[in-house]
Amino acid sequence: LRLGESVAVNGVCLTVTGVAGDAFTADVGPETLRVTTLGQAATGDPLNLERAMRGDARFGGHFVQGHVDGVGTVADVRAEGDAHWLTIAFPAAAAALLVAKGAVAVDGISLTVAALREGQFDVMIVPFTWQHTNLAVRRRGDSVNLEFDMVGKYVARAAELAGLTRER
């Protein structure tokens, strides 16, 4: 990492402000602390770290920008064979941004919505992801950062501006 580079921490895009050996520092502003889970992190908590993708690199997943759209709550964690299911409760305002079999990032981890219900969605975590991310330490009631599909956000906004959304 170099000064000024972007790095995602639990799905939150931060700017590197210092590098010392294998550690880095980043400034976190008051707004970021208000709208993400970073303010709840404690010394020793496992964090998901991901460097920004280079523009000339192979693209091998969903678009994840590190722009957290909201905070969800782990409603359930259950094992199925070697895999695990997570049920995440999400804010009502995000309902239009989630689709079954669509993309969602949970703490910066690009996942597929396996099932969608009012106020909750399920994701299945394969063994590699379970073993190499902080999802393995998530428990019922834990808060997680959520980032919804970028294309879906633009479609929802365009529909809103065109007057195509219905009032609740």
Side-chain angles (χ1 to χ4, degrees):
L1 290 175
R2 296 174 195 226
L3 295 179
E5 280 190 62
S6 293
V7 64
V9 178
N10 277 4
V12 181
C13 182
L14 300 176
T15 301
V16 174
T17 58
V19 178
D22 63 354
F24 72 93
T25 57
D27 294 330
V28 180
E31 175 67 0
T32 301
L33 294 174
R34 272 192 295 275
V35 300
T36 72
T37 63
L38 288 186
Q40 300 169 15
T43 301
D45 283 353
L47 302 171
N48 296 320
L49 303 176
E50 187 168 8
R51 296 182 73 174
M53 185 180 91
R54 292 173 23 138
D56 63 350
R58 180 180 177 280
F59 178 74
H62 307 125
F63 285 106
V64 178
Q65 297 179 300
H67 302 168
V68 173
D69 295 304
V71 173
T73 304
V74 175
D76 193 25
V77 180
R78 60 200 181 282
E80 183 178 333
D82 290 342
H84 289 80
W85 287 97
L86 263 68
T87 299
I88 308 291
F90 60 87
L97 302 176
L98 285 161
V99 295
K101 308 307 181 213
V104 65
V106 176
D107 272 354
I109 303 158
S110 177
L111 300 167
T112 300
V113 176
L116 180 61
R117 296 171 302 288
E118 185 169 335
Q120 293 185 333
F121 65 88
D122 293 330
V123 290
M124 178 170 265
I125 313 303
V126 298
F128 184 89
T129 302
W130 187 256
Q131 294 163 8
H132 292 90
T133 68
N134 68 358
L135 293 180
V137 301
R138 292 288 175 237
R139 299 293 177 256
R140 187 177 310 205
D142 286 353
S143 297
V144 291
N145 292 316
L146 300 175
E147 180 180 337
F148 304 109
D149 180 71
M150 179 176 57
V151 175
K153 290 188 280 190
Y154 281 105
V155 169
R157 178 67 173 145
E160 177 187 350
L161 292 174
L164 300 175
T165 56
R166 62 177 193 224
E167 298 295 321
R168 289 187 178 240

